[in-house]
Amino acid sequence: MGSKLLESSLESSLDPNRIAANPAYSLIRIAEMSTGERDALVELGADLTDREGGIDGVLVAATGSGLPDKVVDCAGVAMFRSLASGRCDQVAGDGMFRLLYDEIITIESGAGPVTGAAAFEQLESTNQPDRPSGALSTMSYRALDTVARLRLPSREQICTRLYWFNRVPLSARWQRAIPGESVVRRWLGDTIASGHQHERSNPSNLWVQAASVENAGGWLSFVRHDDRRELPSREFGYKLYLSPRPGQLHLVLPLAVAATNETVTSRFKVGADAAGLLRPDKIVFYLADASEVTALADRLATALVGIDAQGVPFSAAMTSDGLLSWGGDPTEDESPIGGGRESWRLSVCRRLAESMFAAQRAGVAPATAVSFAARRLELDGVDIASFAPTHLISPTPVTSIKEQAA
């Protein structure tokens, strides 16, 4: 079925006469809450300021329903109230599917009202597109298939398994080979300063270690000493991941730094120890726009011919082998309340985990749970064929010399 025809068919199936507010939820507006309840939301990180799109209410799940409470804005409050009163005139299209798959509304079926993954199973599960064939996309869906079959008991455990998929196990051999950051610094080469920002005056050190806030969580983060953009790495918009096999890092790191020196790149980080360098996303460059991503990827692909890829799940391929890939961190407003700002991959894995856990609770088959999670992620603006963020201009993939010769 063609995509336009499928879209039209699906929307027509959302007959307003079949849609209702989920009775497992009750709405409490912020204005109706006690001071203590409002303060508790603020402590969690909720923004209760009177602004467009701000939080205006909370959908509270009935005890025993297994559903999470949800915050809603003014439009959400109006929609839920209209549905609860028997009207359906507030939202359509993708917005309606988001509400249905998030279990906020129900749709009447032959066996009674359904919502979430059960509704997806009736509406869309038989019309799913073919799986993508690229190395990284295949790896990402293999992660989803594997974790779905495990039927883990919490969203957090599902998210963790997805996030760490394709990580090399931390063995005693790797801990001996990479005992600490001194090894990593030696591999990085002579243009990396041995200390911190006070060494910027040394012209031989093209790269200096960033402020301590950039070095949390087992990373070594660096900025170009002549960089004038005084911004934290998260403000650069794009990420380029370099993911070689750990056994080739001693070759990759000096070559990668030399290639990066020939571009305008001004931020990168690398795992500081064995644990950081065994993860798939072990080397991350921060870039301002799509053209910078393409330029750096082209340099790196040329410099690293013959290097084997480990590959970063839930990132978008820049080279066909998965050695280079990209993503873009969501804004703070797009992160969960109280959870802090998320990285691109953590955001993707957390949203997939939420949907997979809901599908598991609904009792659908693992394959349907994967399709449901991917579809819900797509409604959030992620290209589920490549796992690229659709709100950013996509950089142009690059071809290595090895691929050109093939």
Side-chain angles (χ1 to χ4, degrees), residues 8 37 39-40 52 63 68 82 116 137 149 178 190 215 238 260 273 278 296 325 333 353 378 386 394 399:
S8 174
E37 289 171 329
D39 289 345
E52 185 178 356
T63 302
S82 69
S137 295
R149 289 193 295 269
I178 313 174
D190 294 337
N215 289 279
Y238 288 79
T260 304
D273 52 22
L278 296 177
L296 178 57
S325 58
D333 286 347
E378 182 179 43
S386 64
S394 294
T399 305

Short mmCIF file of all heavy atoms in Angstrom, two decimals, residues 8 37 39-40 52 63 68 82 116 137 149 178 190 215 238 260 273 278 296 325 333 353 378 386 394 399:
data_model
loop_
_atom_site.label_atom_id
_atom_site.label_comp_id
_atom_site.label_asym_id
_atom_site.label_seq_id
_atom_site.Cartn_x
_atom_site.Cartn_y
_atom_site.Cartn_z
N SER A 8 -4.03 8.07 4.43
CA SER A 8 -5.43 8.45 4.31
C SER A 8 -6.33 7.39 4.93
O SER A 8 -7.29 7.68 5.64
CB SER A 8 -5.79 8.64 2.83
OG SER A 8 -7.17 8.87 2.66
N GLU A 37 1.53 20.55 45.97
CA GLU A 37 1.55 19.75 44.74
C GLU A 37 2.29 20.48 43.63
O GLU A 37 3.06 19.88 42.87
CB GLU A 37 0.12 19.41 44.31
CG GLU A 37 -0.56 18.41 45.22
CD GLU A 37 -2.03 18.24 44.91
OE1 GLU A 37 -2.67 19.24 44.45
OE2 GLU A 37 -2.57 17.13 45.11
N ASP A 39 4.58 22.81 44.08
CA ASP A 39 6.00 22.85 44.46
C ASP A 39 6.69 21.53 44.14
O ASP A 39 7.86 21.51 43.72
CB ASP A 39 6.13 23.17 45.94
CG ASP A 39 5.77 24.61 46.28
OD1 ASP A 39 5.68 25.43 45.34
OD2 ASP A 39 5.57 24.90 47.48
N ALA A 40 5.98 20.42 44.34
CA ALA A 40 6.56 19.11 44.05
C ALA A 40 6.87 18.98 42.55
O ALA A 40 7.92 18.42 42.17
CB ALA A 40 5.61 18.00 44.49
N GLU A 52 3.16 29.97 26.33
CA GLU A 52 2.57 29.10 25.32
C GLU A 52 3.29 27.75 25.31
O GLU A 52 4.51 27.68 25.26
CB GLU A 52 2.68 29.75 23.94
CG GLU A 52 1.98 28.96 22.84
CD GLU A 52 2.06 29.65 21.50
OE1 GLU A 52 2.59 30.78 21.44
OE2 GLU A 52 1.59 29.06 20.51
N THR A 63 -4.99 3.98 40.04
CA THR A 63 -4.19 3.00 40.76
C THR A 63 -4.39 1.61 40.16
O THR A 63 -5.53 1.20 39.90
CB THR A 63 -4.58 2.96 42.25
OG1 THR A 63 -4.41 4.27 42.80
CG2 THR A 63 -3.72 1.97 43.02
N PRO A 68 1.69 5.53 33.36
CA PRO A 68 2.39 6.64 34.02
C PRO A 68 1.54 7.90 34.02
O PRO A 68 0.71 8.10 33.12
CB PRO A 68 3.64 6.83 33.14
CG PRO A 68 3.17 6.42 31.77
CD PRO A 68 2.17 5.31 31.96
N SER A 82 -12.62 17.91 26.02
CA SER A 82 -13.60 17.74 24.95
C SER A 82 -13.90 16.26 24.72
O SER A 82 -15.05 15.88 24.53
CB SER A 82 -13.11 18.39 23.65
OG SER A 82 -12.00 17.69 23.11
N GLY A 116 -3.10 2.39 22.88
CA GLY A 116 -1.69 2.03 22.89
C GLY A 116 -1.34 0.98 21.86
O GLY A 116 -1.78 1.02 20.70
N SER A 137 21.37 0.61 10.63
CA SER A 137 19.94 0.42 10.82
C SER A 137 19.63 -1.03 11.16
O SER A 137 18.81 -1.33 12.05
CB SER A 137 19.18 0.85 9.57
OG SER A 137 19.32 2.23 9.35
N ARG A 149 12.47 -9.53 23.05
CA ARG A 149 12.29 -10.94 23.43
C ARG A 149 12.63 -11.19 24.90
O ARG A 149 12.18 -12.18 25.49
CB ARG A 149 13.13 -11.85 22.54
CG ARG A 149 12.62 -11.94 21.10
CD ARG A 149 13.28 -13.08 20.36
NE ARG A 149 14.71 -12.88 20.19
CZ ARG A 149 15.25 -12.27 19.14
NH1 ARG A 149 14.48 -11.79 18.17
NH2 ARG A 149 16.57 -12.12 19.04
N ILE A 178 44.24 -0.79 28.71
CA ILE A 178 43.93 0.64 28.81
C ILE A 178 43.64 0.94 30.29
O ILE A 178 42.48 1.10 30.70
CB ILE A 178 42.71 1.01 27.93
CG1 ILE A 178 42.85 0.42 26.54
CG2 ILE A 178 42.57 2.54 27.85
CD1 ILE A 178 41.63 0.62 25.67
N ASP A 190 50.69 14.66 19.90
CA ASP A 190 51.39 15.82 20.45
C ASP A 190 50.58 17.11 20.43
O ASP A 190 50.94 18.06 21.12
CB ASP A 190 52.69 16.07 19.68
CG ASP A 190 53.69 14.93 19.88
OD1 ASP A 190 53.57 14.24 20.91
OD2 ASP A 190 54.56 14.76 19.01
N ASN A 215 33.98 17.02 31.31
CA ASN A 215 34.75 15.79 31.44
C ASN A 215 34.13 14.81 32.42
O ASN A 215 34.81 13.94 32.96
CB ASN A 215 36.19 16.13 31.87
CG ASN A 215 36.97 16.78 30.75
OD1 ASN A 215 37.46 16.10 29.88
ND2 ASN A 215 37.03 18.11 30.77
N TYR A 238 24.96 19.33 16.26
CA TYR A 238 25.21 18.05 15.59
C TYR A 238 26.32 17.28 16.31
O TYR A 238 27.25 17.87 16.85
CB TYR A 238 25.67 18.28 14.15
CG TYR A 238 24.59 18.75 13.21
CD1 TYR A 238 24.18 20.08 13.19
CD2 TYR A 238 24.00 17.86 12.31
CE1 TYR A 238 23.20 20.52 12.31
CE2 TYR A 238 23.02 18.29 11.42
CZ TYR A 238 22.62 19.62 11.43
OH TYR A 238 21.65 20.05 10.55
N THR A 260 41.18 15.92 11.85
CA THR A 260 40.33 16.95 12.44
C THR A 260 41.01 18.31 12.42
O THR A 260 40.35 19.36 12.24
CB THR A 260 39.96 16.56 13.88
OG1 THR A 260 39.35 15.27 13.87
CG2 THR A 260 39.00 17.56 14.50
N ASP A 273 38.98 5.83 29.49
CA ASP A 273 39.54 4.58 30.02
C ASP A 273 38.96 3.42 29.22
O ASP A 273 38.26 3.62 28.23
CB ASP A 273 39.24 4.45 31.51
CG ASP A 273 37.76 4.63 31.84
OD1 ASP A 273 36.91 4.46 30.93
OD2 ASP A 273 37.43 4.95 32.99
N LEU A 278 35.32 1.03 25.10
CA LEU A 278 34.65 -0.19 24.64
C LEU A 278 33.20 0.08 24.24
O LEU A 278 32.59 -0.76 23.58
CB LEU A 278 34.69 -1.26 25.73
CG LEU A 278 36.08 -1.77 26.11
CD1 LEU A 278 35.99 -2.78 27.25
CD2 LEU A 278 36.80 -2.38 24.92
N LEU A 296 34.03 17.04 7.98
CA LEU A 296 34.85 16.25 8.89
C LEU A 296 34.75 14.75 8.55
O LEU A 296 35.76 14.04 8.56
CB LEU A 296 34.43 16.50 10.33
CG LEU A 296 35.19 15.68 11.39
CD1 LEU A 296 36.69 15.91 11.30
CD2 LEU A 296 34.67 15.98 12.78
N SER A 325 28.93 8.03 11.95
CA SER A 325 27.49 8.24 11.98
C SER A 325 27.20 9.54 12.72
O SER A 325 28.10 10.14 13.32
CB SER A 325 26.79 7.05 12.64
OG SER A 325 27.26 6.85 13.96
N ASP A 333 13.79 21.24 26.70
CA ASP A 333 12.34 21.12 26.79
C ASP A 333 11.84 19.76 26.33
O ASP A 333 10.74 19.35 26.69
CB ASP A 333 11.66 22.21 25.95
CG ASP A 333 11.75 23.59 26.60
OD1 ASP A 333 12.11 23.64 27.80
OD2 ASP A 333 11.47 24.59 25.92
N ALA A 353 12.14 2.57 24.77
CA ALA A 353 11.90 1.74 25.95
C ALA A 353 10.51 1.97 26.53
O ALA A 353 9.82 1.02 26.94
CB ALA A 353 12.97 2.01 27.01
N GLU A 378 8.72 7.52 15.33
CA GLU A 378 8.54 8.27 14.08
C GLU A 378 7.60 9.45 14.29
O GLU A 378 7.82 10.55 13.74
CB GLU A 378 7.99 7.34 13.01
CG GLU A 378 7.81 7.98 11.65
CD GLU A 378 7.28 6.99 10.63
OE1 GLU A 378 6.35 6.22 10.97
OE2 GLU A 378 7.77 6.99 9.48
N SER A 386 16.68 5.41 9.31
CA SER A 386 18.08 5.76 9.55
C SER A 386 18.37 6.16 10.99
O SER A 386 19.53 6.29 11.37
CB SER A 386 18.47 6.94 8.65
OG SER A 386 17.73 8.11 8.98
N SER A 394 19.93 17.00 7.14
CA SER A 394 20.81 15.83 7.16
C SER A 394 22.10 16.12 6.42
O SER A 394 22.08 16.62 5.29
CB SER A 394 20.12 14.63 6.50
OG SER A 394 19.01 14.21 7.26
N THR A 399 31.77 8.72 1.03
CA THR A 399 32.25 7.45 0.50
C THR A 399 33.75 7.37 0.72
O THR A 399 34.49 8.28 0.36
CB THR A 399 31.95 7.32 -1.00
OG1 THR A 399 30.54 7.50 -1.20
CG2 THR A 399 32.35 5.96 -1.52
#
